[in-house]
Amino acid sequence: MNLSNKSKEIDWQPYFTTRIVDDFGTHLRVFRKAQQKITEKDDQVKGSAEDLVDTFFEVEVEMEKNVCRDLVCTSPKDEEGFLRDLCEVLLYLLLPPGDFQNKIMRYFVREILARGVLLPLINQLSDPDYINQYIIWMIRDSNCNYEAFMNIIKLSDNIGELEAVRDKAAEELQYLRSLDTAGDDINTIKNQINSLLFVKKVCDSRIQRLQSGKEINTVKLAANFGKLCTVPLDSILVDNVALQFFMDYMQQTGGQAHLFFWMTVEGYRVTAQQQLEVLLSRQKDGKHQTNQTKGLLRAAAVGIYEQYLSEKASPRVTVDDYLVAKLADTLNHEDPTPEIFDDIQRKVYELMLRDERFYPSFRQNALYVRMLAELDMLKDPSFRGSDDGDGESFNGSPTGSINLSLDDLSNVSSDDLVQLHAYISDTGVCNDHGKTYALYAITVHRRNLNSEEMWKTYRRYSDFHDFHMRITEQFENLSSILKLPGKKTFNNMDRDFLEKRKKDLNAYLQLLLTPEMMKASPALAHYVYDFLENKAYSKGKGDFARKMDTFVNPLRNSMRNVSNAVKSLPDSLAEGMTKMSDNMGKMSERLGQDIKQSFFKVPPLIPKADSDPEHCRVSAQLDDTVDDNIPLRVMLLLMDEVFDLKERNQWLRRNIKNLLQQLIRATYGDTINRKIVDHVDWMTSPEQVADLVKRFRDAFWPNGILAETVPCRDKAIRMRTRVAGKTKLLSIMPDELKHIIGAETTRKGILRVFEMFQHNQLNRRMVYVFLEGFLETLFPQYKFRELFNKLHSRSKQMQKYKQKLQTTQAPSLQKR
């Protein structure tokens, strides 16, 4: 009753919304830094789990300064002693004085609490297998998809996981081969057997590579052996993930001024168009501000000219003098238009595209390979026999059949275009989780000068539809030429409909692949090759995503909403153009500076401080400039730590921040804080606490009888649970997130969080941190922080750290 009454007096909202998030983020930061230290020690030899744990606690004491929990988390004897001491303090605070003075009762209750309640609970909460099962349970409504599962298998560096999956596949193969089937069922079973054979072969190949000590890093393998896809420059300039890598490269080569100019002009054009549209609408309403608007536009255009093209510009964009002179004359004698810089911008684009220092050399640089990995366009050569002759290739078809030495279609030259032919050779009906759909087998022939290749790939109608939407958006002239047969539901027995659809889609393919069509739109080839390549088709924007272009493309969004990207424009144009007259003249300079800041990798959330922000708690990084909005702060901090965004440039981080702000405001508006507070109040209400206690009782004493001990799960089951957990986590990641921060960064971040939970000692540390925070919140008037520091004072890592400090401080003291 004392504990219950005490808990009712506490406001738990700060603990659940801030303290827990801070503790989790800090724990993740320590783990990430420990991984980095292990990698820096020896890039070739993978550190053991023991090395990681030791390094983790080294980093913890460097960050916490006054406490390290290594003894409690690694020594059972010290852990029991810690829990006894803690329980004795709690009994002193909660028991009536007379009962506490009774030593027999006090020791008896202390042992029950320490060894009968807290220790078993901590053991369960820190068990990696329990956490993995809990992760799967939490996202049980999400279906595992084939592509995520194969990605996890191909990225796994744990031989135990691969062996467990391989053995299970072999077991299923043996069962399927023993079935006595006939008729239609035999085709289904053959497909299942092919899929299992493929999974088994991928596992064997990965195990062999790990055991032989060969390189397993996909990016390094692709850089050394892989055939890389070609991403056009115009696609790089409008994709925020790709653009950050091109920015970094242009800085290295000294061509950043050209890229800055191109982006600033792009922003000027959109802004000028918006101003003129607002001006036109205001004139219709009888409000005239023509001269003022033209003056603002002229000031912005002159600012761009002075910053990038004038004799005083440093660095100066190098273009033909007659174009610069023509622009200067236009600025002096004519009203500025949105298209005033188009000729020079086109020349700058051609320079970046053709000059060997820029885009051509970028395609040969390591940054280009990393860009492809983030765009999920990087093939893993270790599964194509690039250096060890195993000849295995990834196949995205439902049958899982294996094609050998499949070249990347994206590297076909323009001379090969007329030698590519495709047609739908067969149709079928599939049933997936109760949904029935048609599947079309496309046979592709590719003839080179010295060889001829053929393969099959499988596509649904929705894939055709997405492909058609993608190319007609990119190439407006195609919408009047190419017509895709309309979408229509069908009965799975309606073969006539399937044959008619097959005929229509074949006609669509034949028209698409005509030499005239390809030559009219050379850039179309990239999209066609991606569609026909033998892999799982990566869909573009769905109907919902197409409506959210401003969310998934922050670059264009910032250019269309310059009031967000340029701090000097506090008000929207529609709300009053007169308020901006003082600031508008500086628009181009501010926009240029805003873009230039992207090269300085200084995280905007980190305040200026004497200590290294990487060696402090996550909450220490909250800046006053960030909106006082709990969800935004929480999301930013977690995004930073999970995906390690501090390694990305500031331009990308600012886009992510703006995106999160828009998402929160669009979804909840200003009520989000109230919703969180209400939810925390509901979670800590007496009714909810009583319900949790009842669930706890029913779980351990169903029907009043002590529950049986859960049987121990063998290693193979635990390994397969790990694979299932990672697959589930990867499956629920939205495509929009990959478009913002990159596919490779998303995968690494998710797998880093999962890997953090696979170490029992580290999980114990996190449980104890949560427990300490809970008690500090429950008893704010007592000095629990000092108590915990004393209880952890015998830490070996803490003693080493103090000796290290004394050693480093001794020379400075002697000088004094």
Side-chain angles (χ1 to χ4, degrees):
M1 290 184 63
N2 283 340
L3 180 65
S4 175
N5 293 331
K6 192 69 182 173
S7 65
K8 291 176 183 177
E9 301 170 0
I10 302 301
D11 178 14
W12 291 102
Q13 184 257 340
Y15 173 75
F16 285 107
T17 58
T18 305
R19 176 65 186 262
I20 280 186
V21 177
D22 178 33
D23 288 339
F24 178 80
T26 302
H27 185 84
L28 181 59
R29 171 176 293 180
V30 175
F31 179 76
R32 175 173 55 80
K33 290 181 67 64
Q35 281 187 320
Q36 292 174 353
K37 274 197 170 186
I38 292 290
T39 305
E40 290 168 1
K41 285 180 181 177
D42 195 335
D43 196 31
Q44 301 299 323
V45 180
K46 183 178 181 294
S48 64
E50 292 77 11
D51 292 339
L52 179 62
V53 171
D54 291 341
T55 307
F56 179 91
F57 288 110
E58 286 179 16
V59 178
E60 182 195 19
V61 72
E62 291 175 1
M63 187 170 294
E64 298 281 3
K65 304 293 192 264
N66 299 318
V67 65
C68 183
R69 303 169 182 86
D70 56 337
L71 280 182
V72 174
C73 299
T74 58
S75 170
K77 182 179 177 181
D78 288 292
E79 183 178 22
E80 289 182 10
F82 172 83
L83 289 176
R84 286 194 185 99
D85 293 339
L86 182 60
C87 288
E88 188 136 359
V89 172
L90 292 176
L91 291 176
Y92 172 77
L93 296 174
L94 297 173
L95 279 181
D99 293 336
F100 182 78
Q101 296 302 327
N102 185 335
K103 289 187 177 181
I104 295 178
M105 175 166 177
R106 186 170 83 234
Y107 293 162
F108 183 69
V109 176
R110 184 191 69 183
E111 290 300 308
I112 291 177
L113 286 176
R115 300 196 59 180
V117 178
L118 289 179
L119 190 58
L121 181 62
I122 292 169
N123 286 337
Q124 183 167 0
L125 293 178
S126 58
D127 180 16
D129 188 51
Y130 174 80
I131 295 175
N132 296 340
Q133 293 179 69
Y134 193 74
I135 289 173
I136 295 172
W137 177 81
M138 284 195 299
I139 50 181
R140 58 193 178 280
D141 295 333
S142 172
N143 294 320
C144 294
N145 64 62
Y146 170 80
E147 186 176 1
F149 173 69
M150 293 310 304
N151 275 334
I152 292 301
I153 295 298
K154 293 193 291 182
L155 291 172
S156 176
D157 57 359
N158 188 307
I159 294 179
E161 291 178 0
L162 296 168
E163 289 177 341
V165 173
R166 181 195 62 188
D167 294 344
K168 189 65 177 177
E171 180 183 326
E172 292 290 326
L173 278 170
Q174 186 177 0
Y175 168 74
L176 290 174
R177 285 167 173 164
S178 68
L179 295 177
D180 184 15
T181 57
D184 295 336
D185 289 342
I186 194 169
N187 292 325
T188 303
I189 291 176
K190 282 183 177 179
N191 289 342
Q192 292 176 350
I193 289 175
N194 284 335
S195 295
L196 290 169
L197 285 172
F198 176 63
V199 171
K200 186 173 178 293
K201 186 165 186 177
V202 171
C203 290
D204 285 332
S205 174
R206 186 72 175 175
I207 291 171
Q208 181 183 0
R209 179 170 287 276
L210 288 168
Q211 290 176 337
S212 63
K214 292 182 179 179
E215 180 63 65
I216 59 173
N217 186 291
T218 304
V219 175
K220 292 181 180 179
L221 280 168
N224 295 331
F225 305 106
K227 294 183 177 180
L228 304 179
C229 300
T230 299
V231 181
L233 179 59
D234 54 352
S235 298
I236 292 175
L237 292 174
V238 297
D239 185 285
N240 64 299
V241 174
L243 182 57
Q244 63 154 328
F245 288 97
F246 191 55
M247 276 183 174
D248 291 340
Y249 177 77
M250 292 295 279
Q251 182 194 24
Q252 294 176 8
T253 58
Q256 62 266 38
H258 299 84
L259 183 58
F260 288 160
F261 173 78
W262 188 92
M263 295 174 67
T264 306
V265 169
E266 197 72 12
Y268 167 82
R269 182 190 299 110
V270 176
T271 307
Q273 289 172 350
Q274 287 182 340
Q275 289 190 52
L276 293 178
E277 289 173 3
V278 172
L279 175 63
L280 185 61
S281 66
R282 294 176 70 87
Q283 286 178 339
K284 290 180 180 179
D285 296 336
K287 301 176 182 179
H288 300 281
Q289 287 182 318
T290 306
N291 293 333
Q292 184 182 22
T293 302
K294 290 180 179 179
L296 296 176
L297 285 176
R298 184 183 305 280
V302 170
I304 296 176
Y305 173 83
E306 293 291 341
Q307 187 173 356
Y308 294 104
L309 301 170
S310 68
E311 296 291 339
K312 301 177 182 178
S314 178
R316 188 187 182 209
V317 175
T318 54
V319 290
D320 296 336
D321 291 339
Y322 79 92
L323 288 175
V324 178
K326 180 182 175 182
L327 173 64
D329 185 67
T330 303
L331 288 174
N332 290 329
H333 299 95
E334 299 179 18
D335 291 332
T337 64
E339 299 80 19
I340 192 171
F341 292 102
D342 281 7
D343 291 340
I344 297 180
Q345 188 190 30
R346 195 175 300 112
K347 285 289 184 182
V348 170
Y349 175 85
E350 289 294 325
L351 179 67
M352 291 191 295
L353 179 66
R354 309 292 180 193
D355 195 313
E356 284 296 328
R357 297 173 298 165
F358 303 140
Y359 176 70
S361 296
F362 173 60
R363 288 185 53 196
Q364 311 299 322
N365 193 275
L367 285 171
Y368 185 78
V369 181
R370 289 174 54 197
M371 181 196 76
L372 292 179
E374 295 292 359
L375 296 175
D376 216 7
M377 299 175 66
L378 192 63
K379 288 197 163 188
D380 186 351
S382 66
F383 291 92
R384 300 193 308 171
S386 59
D387 65 336
D388 55 9
D390 59 6
E392 185 177 342
S393 66
F394 175 76
N395 183 350
S397 67
T399 61
S401 58
I402 297 172
N403 290 295
L404 304 182
S405 63
L406 175 64
D407 288 332
D408 186 356
L409 287 174
S410 301
N411 292 306
V412 181
S413 65
S414 58
D415 296 336
D416 296 327
L417 296 179
V418 295
Q419 299 175 359
L420 186 69
H421 303 280
Y423 63 93
I424 298 175
S425 55
D426 198 8
T427 59
V429 177
C430 294
N431 189 292
D432 183 20
H433 297 287
K435 295 182 180 180
T436 304
Y437 57 88
L439 196 67
Y440 301 92
I442 305 175
T443 301
V444 184
H445 291 269
R446 175 185 166 193
R447 295 186 181 89
N448 291 328
L449 295 176
N450 302 320
S451 63
E452 179 177 346
E453 293 178 278
M454 183 191 77
W455 63 87
K456 283 189 177 183
T457 191
Y458 297 82
R459 297 288 181 257
R460 297 172 56 175
Y461 175 81
S462 60
D463 297 331
F464 276 96
H465 182 266
D466 181 87
F467 169 72
H468 181 74
M469 293 291 291
R470 190 184 296 189
I471 62 174
T472 51
E473 280 183 0
Q474 293 291 328
F475 311 96
E476 296 181 359
N477 60 313
L478 295 182
S479 57
S480 59
I481 303 173
L482 284 172
K483 300 295 181 184
L484 188 70
K487 192 172 185 179
K488 175 184 174 184
T489 58
F490 65 93
N491 186 287
N492 58 6
M493 300 300 291
D494 190 355
R495 299 299 302 179
D496 293 338
F497 171 75
L498 288 180
E499 287 300 320
K500 183 178 184 305
R501 173 63 62 80
K502 172 184 171 182
K503 181 179 179 181
D504 292 341
L505 291 177
N506 261 327
Y508 178 85
L509 282 175
Q510 302 313 312
L511 179 60
L512 182 67
L513 292 173
T514 55
E516 294 78 10
M517 182 76 73
M518 290 294 192
K519 290 178 180 177
S521 304
L524 174 64
H526 170 75
Y527 297 91
V528 175
Y529 297 152
D530 182 66
F531 182 71
L532 294 178
E533 193 172 352
N534 192 13
K535 66 176 183 179
Y537 179 60
S538 176
K539 289 187 178 181
K541 297 177 287 186
D543 292 337
F544 177 72
R546 291 177 194 278
K547 297 174 184 177
M548 295 184 64
D549 270 342
T550 56
F551 284 167
V552 299
N553 197 333
L555 171 63
R556 285 177 174 171
N557 183 46
S558 63
M559 290 180 173
R560 285 174 172 78
N561 300 281
V562 180
S563 61
N564 291 332
V566 186
K567 304 300 183 183
S568 60
L569 303 183
D571 299 297
S572 66
L573 297 170
E575 291 175 351
M577 294 170 58
T578 57
K579 298 180 182 180
M580 301 189 302
S581 57
D582 294 335
N583 293 325
M584 189 61 195
K586 301 178 181 178
M587 184 198 71
S588 62
E589 179 183 354
R590 293 294 179 88
L591 182 58
Q593 293 298 327
D594 187 60
I595 296 172
K596 281 186 177 181
Q597 288 175 4
S598 63
F599 289 100
F600 300 99
K601 297 185 177 180
V602 179
L605 293 178
I606 296 180
K608 295 180 181 179
D610 296 332
S611 60
D612 182 1
E614 276 286 277
H615 289 82
C616 62
R617 293 182 64 84
V618 170
S619 59
Q621 295 179 254
L622 286 173
D623 193 0
D624 295 336
T625 60
V626 180
D627 292 351
D628 187 19
N629 188 308
I630 291 172
L632 178 62
R633 291 159 58 196
V634 168
M635 292 173 72
L636 285 171
L637 290 171
L638 288 182
M639 290 275 283
D640 262 350
E641 293 308 318
V642 172
F643 301 109
D644 199 12
L645 296 180
K646 286 173 288 298
E647 295 301 316
R648 318 298 284 274
N649 60 45
Q650 188 181 5
W651 169 80
L652 175 65
R653 294 185 47 151
R654 186 162 47 251
N655 283 332
I656 293 171
K657 176 190 169 184
N658 291 336
L659 170 71
L660 293 177
Q661 286 175 321
Q662 292 177 53
L663 284 174
I664 290 173
R665 288 167 182 165
T667 308
Y668 297 105
D670 296 329
T671 65
I672 185 70
N673 279 338
R674 185 69 253 168
K675 288 179 179 292
I676 286 186
V677 172
D678 290 343
H679 184 68
V680 171
D681 288 342
W682 174 77
M683 284 171 51
T684 55
S685 65
E687 295 79 13
Q688 278 302 108
V689 173
D691 184 62
L692 290 174
V693 172
K694 183 177 179 295
R695 291 186 190 181
F696 178 83
R697 181 198 66 190
D698 293 341
F700 283 87
W701 291 275
N703 300 319
I705 302 173
L706 183 63
E708 296 181 0
T709 304
V710 178
C712 184
R713 288 156 52 91
D714 63 39
K715 181 181 177 182
I717 293 178
R718 287 186 278 115
M719 289 295 107
R720 288 198 295 273
T721 304
R722 286 179 53 147
V723 174
K726 287 191 282 188
T727 303
K728 282 271 191 179
L729 285 174
L730 208 58
S731 299
I732 65 171
M733 286 299 105
D735 289 337
E736 283 75 14
L737 182 63
K738 298 177 184 177
H739 296 161
I740 297 167
I741 63 176
E744 183 73 7
T745 298
T746 302
R747 277 194 294 267
K748 283 183 177 180
I750 294 302
L751 294 180
R752 180 187 295 117
V753 174
F754 188 86
E755 179 62 25
M756 182 183 71
F757 288 123
Q758 305 313 305
H759 303 273
N760 187 290
Q761 298 96 325
L762 307 191
N763 294 339
R764 299 184 95 82
R765 187 261 180 194
M766 187 162 59
V767 172
Y768 280 117
V769 168
F770 289 161
L771 177 61
E772 291 171 13
F774 175 82
L775 293 177
E776 288 176 35
T777 306
L778 185 62
F779 301 101
Q781 72 273 32
Y782 300 110
K783 300 178 180 180
F784 262 91
R785 183 71 269 154
E786 295 181 10
L787 172 66
F788 289 129
N789 289 348
K790 290 179 181 178
L791 292 177
H792 295 302
S793 61
R794 293 186 298 107
S795 163
K796 296 179 181 178
Q797 293 290 353
M798 193 71 205
Q799 294 170 5
K800 289 181 181 178
Y801 179 71
K802 289 181 177 178
Q803 291 175 358
K804 182 180 177 182
L805 282 180
Q806 292 174 356
T807 304
T808 54
Q809 292 174 357
S812 60
L813 292 174
Q814 290 175 359
K815 289 180 180 179
R816 291 180 184 177

